[in-house]
Amino acid sequence: MMSTESIRIPVAGMTCAACSSRVQRALHQQPGVEDANVNLMMKTATVRFDPNAVTPEGLVDVIKATGYGAELASPDQSVFEEQEARDRAAAAEFRELKTRAIVSGIIGVLAMAMVFSRPLLLLSTFGVMVWAGRHFYTRAWAAFRHHSADMNTLVAVGTGAAFLYSVIATVAPGFFLSRGVQPDVYYEAVVIIIALILTGNAFEARARKQTASALRALVHLQPKTARVVRQDTEGADVEVDAPIETVEAGETVIVRPGERIPVDGDILSGESAVDESMLTGESLPVAKRPGDAVIGGTINRTGAFRYRATTLGADSVLARIVKLMRDAQGSRAPIQRLADRISGIFVPIVLSIAIATFVVWFVAADTAPAVRAFAVAVAVLIIACPCAMGLAVPTAVMVSTGKGAELGILIKGGEALQRAGDLRTIVLDKTGTVTEGRPTVTDLVLTSTSSHQADDVLRLVASLETLSEHPLADSIVRHARDRSISLATPEAFESVTGRGAVGVVEGSALAVGNAALMADYAIDPAPLAAEAERLATDGKTPMYVAINGALAAVVAVADPIKDTSREAIRRFHALGLEVVMLTGDNRRTAEAVARQAGIDHVVAEVLPDGKVAEIARLQAEGKVVAMVGDGINDAPALAKADVGMAIGTGTDIAVEAGDIVLMRGDLRAAVQAVDLSRRTMRTMKQNLFWAFIYNVIGIPVAAGVLYPAFGLLLSPILASAAMAFSSVSVVTNSLRLRGARIA
Amino acid sequence: MTTLSGTDWLVILAGVAAIAWVNWYFFVAGRAPAKRTEHKD
């Protein structure tokens, strides 16, 4: 059986969709390569290959043969180091492009001001082409050898032709004069075109750097050192500042107020409030006590504490989020296939149009036909750059996933974004999604004749329930402890299956349970029967309490609806979504919760496979369905839905489940995810529209269709400015998503 | 309507040939069928 390995290789020098598709094609043609995905935005090639047929070094050679740079990443680099290296490379690329653009621009302006003589112009133009624009020609040649063409081809053919024409006009002006044509030269056009395209590339590089700002912010959350308790040479415990990579699982870490928590772990001693907003989007600090989990990268606000390090390195929550984000930012949205298909055939078609333009102008122009035909053909080549088309979708995906991370929403790629933008129905799991997921005491109603105080009843009941293993008992005990009520040890306890519990606490005989239990002890529940019925109708579980043979109270336990759920469901409706709740709970409770939360439809008493069937039924009705659940129990339904949104709170982030991970246990994050996706799709469509319309208008105008009617022609210099502008405008439009106010 | 000169015809023919070559080179020659490889399981 053939085994495969996967590798990610950084690729340098790709500037447009045609570049990435060329590298991808070359990799696909290499024997032993199972699959290859080259990403323009992330500048990486992810290759699945058979190590028996081809080595990683061989893959690097294949990429280099296409004219782009490639080198293998160091295998022990962490995601943080890898991202920092990528940032450094991006900064260096921007600096270099800027220098080249400025120097070329200055030479171009001097050339236009006619400071140079023609021979000097020839030399300086050649110098600019070789120094600043060399990569256009080398990459165009590499593409040509592979029967491929990209934006470099257009620039190289356009400027190369203009340069050759000018050289002939310089060294043999008589050739032109003898044919009645002035020996004009286009040196300044060549230099200015190169300067403008480099300027556009530099702006684009800077904007691309900005689109990764969210990812960079996440990387910078990782502290470099941790204060760890270790033993000195004499075996005594000492605090040492240790590099983060030396910290081992199980070691005790100390964090003081105001410090960043270095690694994931569980608190051993001390209490504090921790600001987790950078990872979860939750604005309020979260209280932490011994036993609670803390996440590396979050900020300790108030108290000092010691904790035991748990997950480290690549397994840490932050590293997993960074990796997830990085993979997502570089992923492709299906809508991009259109742009890819067009840019693949675009350049040869433009070359054909440029040749046809030359022929038409040569035949039709009255004066100096060759010169005019030439200038118009060069303008066509220069204006038609597929860059904007290549950037339209990836920049939007990148900015949007970054914005999502700021809001505590991890979107796993362009495909998830696109599907979430098309949603019509949202299916919610009840427990833990709409409700808190932890039953708690919601009501305690005393009989009108009761001689007890509410807290006394709660103390007695909770004391009795300390010996019970029923989940409802646990919620009563927790509720009493949360209210700082001290509990007694029961003198006697008996659990009555299906009915409740009886026992003795501080000399009082207690019976806590349903009406059947009361009947067993000949206690009439009638005084509180109406109240119990009302509580049950509200989806709560009522329990009668009898003390020393007399009915004293009814206690209700329920899984309360989260404060934020009602508002979130209202916002779902405002976005035009149908809201459905799926639950394994009984119909009465489910309907009560749905009524209170404002949910349209309820499907109750379903098992996990029933949830899958229900989602399939909705999909069969032609609806695009999202499932929001807490990751583990709802995994099949999350996978079946068009978009699975997994709620992962704190350290329990179900990053593997679902297409979108909501870092807060707050349903409003799901609303934000839908809103963000819709805005992103809108931005992608705008970008694609402008990229297409620019070429649809630009190419005919450059070819001179407006000349007969209006005498309007585009010079090659104006064409290059328009081309640079189109790329920058697409990136800028995507960057607007960063400032968008999400619902 | 002006009549076309010999140079004009030459440029037209050269243009058509160039367009044909560009399209052949990038769309036809570049898509030659891949070599058949044998897989042994």
PDB file of all heavy atoms in Angstrom, chain A residues 144-145 147-149 344-345 348-349 351-352 355-356 358-359 362-363, chain B residues 4 7-8 11-12 15 18-19 21-23 25-27 29-31 41:
ATOM      1  N   PHE A 144       6.574  31.114 -19.725  1.00  0.00           N
ATOM      2  CA  PHE A 144       6.494  30.818 -21.153  1.00  0.00           C
ATOM      3  C   PHE A 144       6.983  29.396 -21.435  1.00  0.00           C
ATOM      4  O   PHE A 144       6.375  28.655 -22.201  1.00  0.00           O
ATOM      5  CB  PHE A 144       7.333  31.852 -21.920  1.00  0.00           C
ATOM      6  CG  PHE A 144       7.319  31.635 -23.400  1.00  0.00           C
ATOM      7  CD1 PHE A 144       6.225  32.033 -24.162  1.00  0.00           C
ATOM      8  CD2 PHE A 144       8.393  31.031 -24.037  1.00  0.00           C
ATOM      9  CE1 PHE A 144       6.209  31.827 -25.523  1.00  0.00           C
ATOM     10  CE2 PHE A 144       8.374  30.818 -25.395  1.00  0.00           C
ATOM     11  CZ  PHE A 144       7.277  31.216 -26.151  1.00  0.00           C
ATOM     12  N   ARG A 145       8.082  29.023 -20.786  1.00  0.00           N
ATOM     13  CA  ARG A 145       8.642  27.689 -21.007  1.00  0.00           C
ATOM     14  C   ARG A 145       7.668  26.589 -20.590  1.00  0.00           C
ATOM     15  O   ARG A 145       7.711  25.478 -21.071  1.00  0.00           O
ATOM     16  CB  ARG A 145       9.959  27.530 -20.243  1.00  0.00           C
ATOM     17  CG  ARG A 145      11.113  28.259 -20.947  1.00  0.00           C
ATOM     18  CD  ARG A 145      12.431  27.845 -20.358  1.00  0.00           C
ATOM     19  NE  ARG A 145      12.420  28.046 -18.907  1.00  0.00           N
ATOM     20  CZ  ARG A 145      12.910  27.182 -18.047  1.00  0.00           C
ATOM     21  NH1 ARG A 145      13.436  26.075 -18.459  1.00  0.00           N
ATOM     22  NH2 ARG A 145      12.888  27.429 -16.748  1.00  0.00           N
ATOM     23  N   HIS A 147       4.472  26.832 -21.074  1.00  0.00           N
ATOM     24  CA  HIS A 147       3.261  27.095 -21.871  1.00  0.00           C
ATOM     25  C   HIS A 147       2.226  27.847 -21.049  1.00  0.00           C
ATOM     26  O   HIS A 147       1.028  27.571 -21.143  1.00  0.00           O
ATOM     27  CB  HIS A 147       2.651  25.788 -22.386  1.00  0.00           C
ATOM     28  CG  HIS A 147       3.547  25.063 -23.323  1.00  0.00           C
ATOM     29  ND1 HIS A 147       3.579  25.325 -24.676  1.00  0.00           N
ATOM     30  CD2 HIS A 147       4.484  24.109 -23.118  1.00  0.00           C
ATOM     31  CE1 HIS A 147       4.469  24.548 -25.257  1.00  0.00           C
ATOM     32  NE2 HIS A 147       5.050  23.803 -24.321  1.00  0.00           N
ATOM     33  N   SER A 148       2.714  28.720 -20.211  1.00  0.00           N
ATOM     34  CA  SER A 148       1.794  29.439 -19.345  1.00  0.00           C
ATOM     35  C   SER A 148       2.087  30.938 -19.431  1.00  0.00           C
ATOM     36  O   SER A 148       3.139  31.352 -19.916  1.00  0.00           O
ATOM     37  CB  SER A 148       1.978  28.915 -17.918  1.00  0.00           C
ATOM     38  OG  SER A 148       1.304  29.727 -17.030  1.00  0.00           O
ATOM     39  N   ALA A 149       1.148  31.738 -18.977  1.00  0.00           N
ATOM     40  CA  ALA A 149       1.335  33.192 -19.034  1.00  0.00           C
ATOM     41  C   ALA A 149       0.650  33.825 -17.844  1.00  0.00           C
ATOM     42  O   ALA A 149      -0.399  33.353 -17.412  1.00  0.00           O
ATOM     43  CB  ALA A 149       0.742  33.731 -20.323  1.00  0.00           C
ATOM     44  N   GLY A 344      -6.767  32.035 -15.724  1.00  0.00           N
ATOM     45  CA  GLY A 344      -6.003  31.013 -16.430  1.00  0.00           C
ATOM     46  C   GLY A 344      -5.987  31.224 -17.941  1.00  0.00           C
ATOM     47  O   GLY A 344      -4.988  30.961 -18.602  1.00  0.00           O
ATOM     48  N   ILE A 345      -7.123  31.681 -18.482  1.00  0.00           N
ATOM     49  CA  ILE A 345      -7.194  31.862 -19.946  1.00  0.00           C
ATOM     50  C   ILE A 345      -7.040  33.326 -20.350  1.00  0.00           C
ATOM     51  O   ILE A 345      -7.007  33.656 -21.527  1.00  0.00           O
ATOM     52  CB  ILE A 345      -8.542  31.333 -20.492  1.00  0.00           C
ATOM     53  CG1 ILE A 345      -9.712  32.076 -19.848  1.00  0.00           C
ATOM     54  CG2 ILE A 345      -8.656  29.839 -20.271  1.00  0.00           C
ATOM     55  CD1 ILE A 345     -11.038  31.842 -20.556  1.00  0.00           C
ATOM     56  N   PRO A 348      -3.395  34.790 -22.504  1.00  0.00           N
ATOM     57  CA  PRO A 348      -3.328  34.523 -23.945  1.00  0.00           C
ATOM     58  C   PRO A 348      -4.389  35.298 -24.737  1.00  0.00           C
ATOM     59  O   PRO A 348      -4.122  35.768 -25.845  1.00  0.00           O
ATOM     60  CB  PRO A 348      -3.583  33.012 -24.023  1.00  0.00           C
ATOM     61  CG  PRO A 348      -3.159  32.488 -22.699  1.00  0.00           C
ATOM     62  CD  PRO A 348      -3.484  33.555 -21.718  1.00  0.00           C
ATOM     63  N   ILE A 349      -5.584  35.439 -24.138  1.00  0.00           N
ATOM     64  CA  ILE A 349      -6.636  36.184 -24.843  1.00  0.00           C
ATOM     65  C   ILE A 349      -6.226  37.655 -24.975  1.00  0.00           C
ATOM     66  O   ILE A 349      -6.395  38.272 -26.032  1.00  0.00           O
ATOM     67  CB  ILE A 349      -7.995  36.039 -24.101  1.00  0.00           C
ATOM     68  CG1 ILE A 349      -8.498  34.602 -24.289  1.00  0.00           C
ATOM     69  CG2 ILE A 349      -9.012  37.045 -24.609  1.00  0.00           C
ATOM     70  CD1 ILE A 349      -9.739  34.252 -23.517  1.00  0.00           C
ATOM     71  N   LEU A 351      -3.174  38.801 -25.066  1.00  0.00           N
ATOM     72  CA  LEU A 351      -2.109  38.869 -26.086  1.00  0.00           C
ATOM     73  C   LEU A 351      -2.733  38.887 -27.485  1.00  0.00           C
ATOM     74  O   LEU A 351      -2.321  39.660 -28.365  1.00  0.00           O
ATOM     75  CB  LEU A 351      -1.166  37.667 -25.955  1.00  0.00           C
ATOM     76  CG  LEU A 351      -0.216  37.669 -24.750  1.00  0.00           C
ATOM     77  CD1 LEU A 351       0.534  36.341 -24.674  1.00  0.00           C
ATOM     78  CD2 LEU A 351       0.783  38.813 -24.830  1.00  0.00           C
ATOM     79  N   SER A 352      -3.759  38.068 -27.685  1.00  0.00           N
ATOM     80  CA  SER A 352      -4.439  38.021 -28.984  1.00  0.00           C
ATOM     81  C   SER A 352      -5.102  39.365 -29.287  1.00  0.00           C
ATOM     82  O   SER A 352      -5.024  39.864 -30.421  1.00  0.00           O
ATOM     83  CB  SER A 352      -5.501  36.917 -28.992  1.00  0.00           C
ATOM     84  OG  SER A 352      -4.919  35.696 -28.627  1.00  0.00           O
ATOM     85  N   ILE A 355      -2.496  41.908 -30.293  1.00  0.00           N
ATOM     86  CA  ILE A 355      -2.027  41.717 -31.682  1.00  0.00           C
ATOM     87  C   ILE A 355      -3.089  42.235 -32.655  1.00  0.00           C
ATOM     88  O   ILE A 355      -2.788  42.974 -33.606  1.00  0.00           O
ATOM     89  CB  ILE A 355      -1.724  40.220 -31.956  1.00  0.00           C
ATOM     90  CG1 ILE A 355      -0.564  39.750 -31.069  1.00  0.00           C
ATOM     91  CG2 ILE A 355      -1.385  40.009 -33.430  1.00  0.00           C
ATOM     92  CD1 ILE A 355      -0.382  38.234 -31.021  1.00  0.00           C
ATOM     93  N   ALA A 356      -4.358  41.882 -32.390  1.00  0.00           N
ATOM     94  CA  ALA A 356      -5.445  42.331 -33.271  1.00  0.00           C
ATOM     95  C   ALA A 356      -5.521  43.853 -33.271  1.00  0.00           C
ATOM     96  O   ALA A 356      -5.730  44.486 -34.325  1.00  0.00           O
ATOM     97  CB  ALA A 356      -6.764  41.731 -32.797  1.00  0.00           C
ATOM     98  N   PHE A 358      -3.096  45.948 -32.730  1.00  0.00           N
ATOM     99  CA  PHE A 358      -1.968  46.450 -33.525  1.00  0.00           C
ATOM    100  C   PHE A 358      -2.319  46.418 -35.019  1.00  0.00           C
ATOM    101  O   PHE A 358      -2.135  47.395 -35.743  1.00  0.00           O
ATOM    102  CB  PHE A 358      -0.713  45.604 -33.259  1.00  0.00           C
ATOM    103  CG  PHE A 358       0.491  46.048 -34.036  1.00  0.00           C
ATOM    104  CD1 PHE A 358       1.341  47.023 -33.527  1.00  0.00           C
ATOM    105  CD2 PHE A 358       0.753  45.526 -35.294  1.00  0.00           C
ATOM    106  CE1 PHE A 358       2.440  47.451 -34.256  1.00  0.00           C
ATOM    107  CE2 PHE A 358       1.850  45.956 -36.034  1.00  0.00           C
ATOM    108  CZ  PHE A 358       2.703  46.919 -35.514  1.00  0.00           C
ATOM    109  N   VAL A 359      -2.850  45.287 -35.470  1.00  0.00           N
ATOM    110  CA  VAL A 359      -3.167  45.107 -36.896  1.00  0.00           C
ATOM    111  C   VAL A 359      -4.207  46.135 -37.337  1.00  0.00           C
ATOM    112  O   VAL A 359      -4.033  46.826 -38.354  1.00  0.00           O
ATOM    113  CB  VAL A 359      -3.668  43.661 -37.161  1.00  0.00           C
ATOM    114  CG1 VAL A 359      -4.197  43.528 -38.584  1.00  0.00           C
ATOM    115  CG2 VAL A 359      -2.549  42.670 -36.916  1.00  0.00           C
ATOM    116  N   PHE A 362      -2.725  49.590 -37.415  1.00  0.00           N
ATOM    117  CA  PHE A 362      -1.734  49.703 -38.488  1.00  0.00           C
ATOM    118  C   PHE A 362      -2.429  49.934 -39.832  1.00  0.00           C
ATOM    119  O   PHE A 362      -2.021  50.759 -40.635  1.00  0.00           O
ATOM    120  CB  PHE A 362      -0.882  48.428 -38.565  1.00  0.00           C
ATOM    121  CG  PHE A 362       0.268  48.516 -39.522  1.00  0.00           C
ATOM    122  CD1 PHE A 362       1.506  48.991 -39.099  1.00  0.00           C
ATOM    123  CD2 PHE A 362       0.111  48.171 -40.867  1.00  0.00           C
ATOM    124  CE1 PHE A 362       2.564  49.101 -39.983  1.00  0.00           C
ATOM    125  CE2 PHE A 362       1.160  48.284 -41.763  1.00  0.00           C
ATOM    126  CZ  PHE A 362       2.397  48.746 -41.320  1.00  0.00           C
ATOM    127  N   VAL A 363      -3.512  49.210 -40.019  1.00  0.00           N
ATOM    128  CA  VAL A 363      -4.236  49.295 -41.294  1.00  0.00           C
ATOM    129  C   VAL A 363      -5.066  50.572 -41.364  1.00  0.00           C
ATOM    130  O   VAL A 363      -5.149  51.222 -42.407  1.00  0.00           O
ATOM    131  CB  VAL A 363      -5.128  48.040 -41.479  1.00  0.00           C
ATOM    132  CG1 VAL A 363      -6.038  48.179 -42.692  1.00  0.00           C
ATOM    133  CG2 VAL A 363      -4.265  46.798 -41.595  1.00  0.00           C
TER     134      VAL A 363
ATOM    135  N   LEU B   4      -6.243  48.345 -49.454  1.00  0.00           N
ATOM    136  CA  LEU B   4      -5.143  47.941 -48.573  1.00  0.00           C
ATOM    137  C   LEU B   4      -3.872  47.749 -49.390  1.00  0.00           C
ATOM    138  O   LEU B   4      -3.907  47.186 -50.498  1.00  0.00           O
ATOM    139  CB  LEU B   4      -5.492  46.636 -47.865  1.00  0.00           C
ATOM    140  CG  LEU B   4      -6.709  46.682 -46.947  1.00  0.00           C
ATOM    141  CD1 LEU B   4      -6.952  45.313 -46.333  1.00  0.00           C
ATOM    142  CD2 LEU B   4      -6.521  47.718 -45.856  1.00  0.00           C
ATOM    143  N   THR B   7       1.855  46.100 -47.706  1.00  0.00           N
ATOM    144  CA  THR B   7       2.335  46.056 -46.303  1.00  0.00           C
ATOM    145  C   THR B   7       1.181  45.737 -45.365  1.00  0.00           C
ATOM    146  O   THR B   7       1.326  44.957 -44.417  1.00  0.00           O
ATOM    147  CB  THR B   7       2.971  47.409 -45.918  1.00  0.00           C
ATOM    148  OG1 THR B   7       3.779  47.858 -46.984  1.00  0.00           O
ATOM    149  CG2 THR B   7       3.758  47.313 -44.635  1.00  0.00           C
ATOM    150  N   ASP B   8       0.022  46.397 -45.664  1.00  0.00           N
ATOM    151  CA  ASP B   8      -1.143  46.135 -44.811  1.00  0.00           C
ATOM    152  C   ASP B   8      -1.490  44.651 -44.801  1.00  0.00           C
ATOM    153  O   ASP B   8      -1.720  44.049 -43.747  1.00  0.00           O
ATOM    154  CB  ASP B   8      -2.357  46.929 -45.314  1.00  0.00           C
ATOM    155  CG  ASP B   8      -2.215  48.417 -45.063  1.00  0.00           C
ATOM    156  OD1 ASP B   8      -1.384  48.781 -44.205  1.00  0.00           O
ATOM    157  OD2 ASP B   8      -2.893  49.217 -45.725  1.00  0.00           O
ATOM    158  N   VAL B  11       0.938  42.712 -42.748  1.00  0.00           N
ATOM    159  CA  VAL B  11       0.724  42.866 -41.291  1.00  0.00           C
ATOM    160  C   VAL B  11      -0.497  42.055 -40.849  1.00  0.00           C
ATOM    161  O   VAL B  11      -0.476  41.397 -39.804  1.00  0.00           O
ATOM    162  CB  VAL B  11       0.566  44.366 -40.932  1.00  0.00           C
ATOM    163  CG1 VAL B  11       0.058  44.540 -39.514  1.00  0.00           C
ATOM    164  CG2 VAL B  11       1.887  45.090 -41.103  1.00  0.00           C
ATOM    165  N   ILE B  12      -1.561  42.090 -41.693  1.00  0.00           N
ATOM    166  CA  ILE B  12      -2.775  41.328 -41.331  1.00  0.00           C
ATOM    167  C   ILE B  12      -2.458  39.832 -41.237  1.00  0.00           C
ATOM    168  O   ILE B  12      -2.810  39.156 -40.254  1.00  0.00           O
ATOM    169  CB  ILE B  12      -3.910  41.575 -42.357  1.00  0.00           C
ATOM    170  CG1 ILE B  12      -4.425  43.013 -42.219  1.00  0.00           C
ATOM    171  CG2 ILE B  12      -5.060  40.586 -42.148  1.00  0.00           C
ATOM    172  CD1 ILE B  12      -5.343  43.467 -43.334  1.00  0.00           C
ATOM    173  N   GLY B  15      -0.355  39.141 -38.263  1.00  0.00           N
ATOM    174  CA  GLY B  15      -1.172  39.258 -37.049  1.00  0.00           C
ATOM    175  C   GLY B  15      -2.004  38.010 -36.817  1.00  0.00           C
ATOM    176  O   GLY B  15      -2.036  37.458 -35.715  1.00  0.00           O
ATOM    177  N   ALA B  18       0.184  35.255 -35.787  1.00  0.00           N
ATOM    178  CA  ALA B  18       0.646  35.430 -34.398  1.00  0.00           C
ATOM    179  C   ALA B  18      -0.446  35.040 -33.407  1.00  0.00           C
ATOM    180  O   ALA B  18      -0.191  34.356 -32.413  1.00  0.00           O
ATOM    181  CB  ALA B  18       1.086  36.872 -34.173  1.00  0.00           C
ATOM    182  N   ILE B  19      -1.684  35.463 -33.711  1.00  0.00           N
ATOM    183  CA  ILE B  19      -2.805  35.120 -32.808  1.00  0.00           C
ATOM    184  C   ILE B  19      -2.991  33.592 -32.758  1.00  0.00           C
ATOM    185  O   ILE B  19      -3.167  33.000 -31.698  1.00  0.00           O
ATOM    186  CB  ILE B  19      -4.108  35.821 -33.254  1.00  0.00           C
ATOM    187  CG1 ILE B  19      -3.981  37.328 -33.011  1.00  0.00           C
ATOM    188  CG2 ILE B  19      -5.318  35.271 -32.509  1.00  0.00           C
ATOM    189  CD1 ILE B  19      -5.105  38.162 -33.595  1.00  0.00           C
ATOM    190  N   TRP B  21      -0.777  31.345 -33.353  1.00  0.00           N
ATOM    191  CA  TRP B  21       0.340  30.710 -32.639  1.00  0.00           C
ATOM    192  C   TRP B  21       0.185  30.875 -31.121  1.00  0.00           C
ATOM    193  O   TRP B  21       0.382  29.908 -30.369  1.00  0.00           O
ATOM    194  CB  TRP B  21       1.668  31.327 -33.106  1.00  0.00           C
ATOM    195  CG  TRP B  21       2.829  30.654 -32.422  1.00  0.00           C
ATOM    196  CD1 TRP B  21       3.408  29.467 -32.758  1.00  0.00           C
ATOM    197  CD2 TRP B  21       3.501  31.111 -31.245  1.00  0.00           C
ATOM    198  NE1 TRP B  21       4.405  29.146 -31.879  1.00  0.00           N
ATOM    199  CE2 TRP B  21       4.479  30.142 -30.933  1.00  0.00           C
ATOM    200  CE3 TRP B  21       3.357  32.238 -30.432  1.00  0.00           C
ATOM    201  CZ2 TRP B  21       5.326  30.281 -29.850  1.00  0.00           C
ATOM    202  CZ3 TRP B  21       4.203  32.363 -29.345  1.00  0.00           C
ATOM    203  CH2 TRP B  21       5.182  31.395 -29.066  1.00  0.00           C
ATOM    204  N   VAL B  22      -0.154  32.089 -30.689  1.00  0.00           N
ATOM    205  CA  VAL B  22      -0.323  32.346 -29.243  1.00  0.00           C
ATOM    206  C   VAL B  22      -1.348  31.370 -28.669  1.00  0.00           C
ATOM    207  O   VAL B  22      -1.119  30.730 -27.640  1.00  0.00           O
ATOM    208  CB  VAL B  22      -0.764  33.813 -28.994  1.00  0.00           C
ATOM    209  CG1 VAL B  22      -1.366  33.974 -27.594  1.00  0.00           C
ATOM    210  CG2 VAL B  22       0.405  34.762 -29.171  1.00  0.00           C
ATOM    211  N   ASN B  23      -2.484  31.231 -29.346  1.00  0.00           N
ATOM    212  CA  ASN B  23      -3.549  30.365 -28.829  1.00  0.00           C
ATOM    213  C   ASN B  23      -3.159  28.887 -28.873  1.00  0.00           C
ATOM    214  O   ASN B  23      -3.493  28.127 -27.968  1.00  0.00           O
ATOM    215  CB  ASN B  23      -4.854  30.613 -29.585  1.00  0.00           C
ATOM    216  CG  ASN B  23      -5.479  31.912 -29.134  1.00  0.00           C
ATOM    217  OD1 ASN B  23      -6.129  31.977 -28.109  1.00  0.00           O
ATOM    218  ND2 ASN B  23      -5.234  32.988 -29.866  1.00  0.00           N
ATOM    219  N   TYR B  25      -0.004  27.811 -28.723  1.00  0.00           N
ATOM    220  CA  TYR B  25       1.077  27.589 -27.745  1.00  0.00           C
ATOM    221  C   TYR B  25       0.538  27.471 -26.321  1.00  0.00           C
ATOM    222  O   TYR B  25       0.936  26.599 -25.560  1.00  0.00           O
ATOM    223  CB  TYR B  25       2.104  28.721 -27.818  1.00  0.00           C
ATOM    224  CG  TYR B  25       3.310  28.465 -26.948  1.00  0.00           C
ATOM    225  CD1 TYR B  25       4.318  27.608 -27.374  1.00  0.00           C
ATOM    226  CD2 TYR B  25       3.433  29.056 -25.692  1.00  0.00           C
ATOM    227  CE1 TYR B  25       5.421  27.346 -26.573  1.00  0.00           C
ATOM    228  CE2 TYR B  25       4.530  28.797 -24.883  1.00  0.00           C
ATOM    229  CZ  TYR B  25       5.524  27.952 -25.328  1.00  0.00           C
ATOM    230  OH  TYR B  25       6.606  27.692 -24.530  1.00  0.00           O
ATOM    231  N   PHE B  26      -0.356  28.381 -25.951  1.00  0.00           N
ATOM    232  CA  PHE B  26      -0.809  28.398 -24.556  1.00  0.00           C
ATOM    233  C   PHE B  26      -1.962  27.436 -24.274  1.00  0.00           C
ATOM    234  O   PHE B  26      -2.081  26.928 -23.180  1.00  0.00           O
ATOM    235  CB  PHE B  26      -1.201  29.817 -24.138  1.00  0.00           C
ATOM    236  CG  PHE B  26      -0.013  30.729 -24.005  1.00  0.00           C
ATOM    237  CD1 PHE B  26       0.194  31.755 -24.909  1.00  0.00           C
ATOM    238  CD2 PHE B  26       0.915  30.548 -22.997  1.00  0.00           C
ATOM    239  CE1 PHE B  26       1.300  32.586 -24.797  1.00  0.00           C
ATOM    240  CE2 PHE B  26       2.021  31.374 -22.874  1.00  0.00           C
ATOM    241  CZ  PHE B  26       2.220  32.393 -23.772  1.00  0.00           C
ATOM    242  N   PHE B  27      -2.839  27.233 -25.279  1.00  0.00           N
ATOM    243  CA  PHE B  27      -4.020  26.397 -25.003  1.00  0.00           C
ATOM    244  C   PHE B  27      -3.889  24.955 -25.486  1.00  0.00           C
ATOM    245  O   PHE B  27      -4.481  24.061 -24.921  1.00  0.00           O
ATOM    246  CB  PHE B  27      -5.275  27.015 -25.623  1.00  0.00           C
ATOM    247  CG  PHE B  27      -5.664  28.304 -24.967  1.00  0.00           C
ATOM    248  CD1 PHE B  27      -5.956  29.435 -25.732  1.00  0.00           C
ATOM    249  CD2 PHE B  27      -5.729  28.416 -23.587  1.00  0.00           C
ATOM    250  CE1 PHE B  27      -6.305  30.627 -25.127  1.00  0.00           C
ATOM    251  CE2 PHE B  27      -6.079  29.606 -22.980  1.00  0.00           C
ATOM    252  CZ  PHE B  27      -6.366  30.716 -23.741  1.00  0.00           C
ATOM    253  N   ALA B  29      -0.643  23.360 -27.066  1.00  0.00           N
ATOM    254  CA  ALA B  29       0.657  22.710 -26.830  1.00  0.00           C
ATOM    255  C   ALA B  29       0.903  22.457 -25.342  1.00  0.00           C
ATOM    256  O   ALA B  29       1.519  21.471 -24.972  1.00  0.00           O
ATOM    257  CB  ALA B  29       1.769  23.565 -27.415  1.00  0.00           C
ATOM    258  N   GLY B  30       0.402  23.370 -24.498  1.00  0.00           N
ATOM    259  CA  GLY B  30       0.618  23.246 -23.052  1.00  0.00           C
ATOM    260  C   GLY B  30      -0.230  22.167 -22.419  1.00  0.00           C
ATOM    261  O   GLY B  30       0.006  21.758 -21.294  1.00  0.00           O
ATOM    262  N   ARG B  31      -1.281  21.721 -23.149  1.00  0.00           N
ATOM    263  CA  ARG B  31      -2.198  20.723 -22.563  1.00  0.00           C
ATOM    264  C   ARG B  31      -2.005  19.351 -23.169  1.00  0.00           C
ATOM    265  O   ARG B  31      -2.949  18.598 -23.317  1.00  0.00           O
ATOM    266  CB  ARG B  31      -3.655  21.159 -22.791  1.00  0.00           C
ATOM    267  CG  ARG B  31      -3.974  22.515 -22.256  1.00  0.00           C
ATOM    268  CD  ARG B  31      -4.507  22.428 -20.844  1.00  0.00           C
ATOM    269  NE  ARG B  31      -4.307  23.681 -20.131  1.00  0.00           N
ATOM    270  CZ  ARG B  31      -5.159  24.676 -20.122  1.00  0.00           C
ATOM    271  NH1 ARG B  31      -6.278  24.581 -20.761  1.00  0.00           N
ATOM    272  NH2 ARG B  31      -4.895  25.784 -19.454  1.00  0.00           N
ATOM    273  N   ASP B  41       0.119  -1.842  -6.903  1.00  0.00           N
ATOM    274  CA  ASP B  41      -0.309  -1.854  -5.500  1.00  0.00           C
ATOM    275  C   ASP B  41       0.422  -2.929  -4.715  1.00  0.00           C
ATOM    276  O   ASP B  41       0.757  -3.955  -5.220  1.00  0.00           O
ATOM    277  CB  ASP B  41      -1.823  -2.083  -5.418  1.00  0.00           C
ATOM    278  CG  ASP B  41      -2.540  -0.865  -5.948  1.00  0.00           C
ATOM    279  OD1 ASP B  41      -2.046   0.247  -5.671  1.00  0.00           O
ATOM    280  OD2 ASP B  41      -3.564  -1.009  -6.642  1.00  0.00           O
TER     281      ASP B  41
END
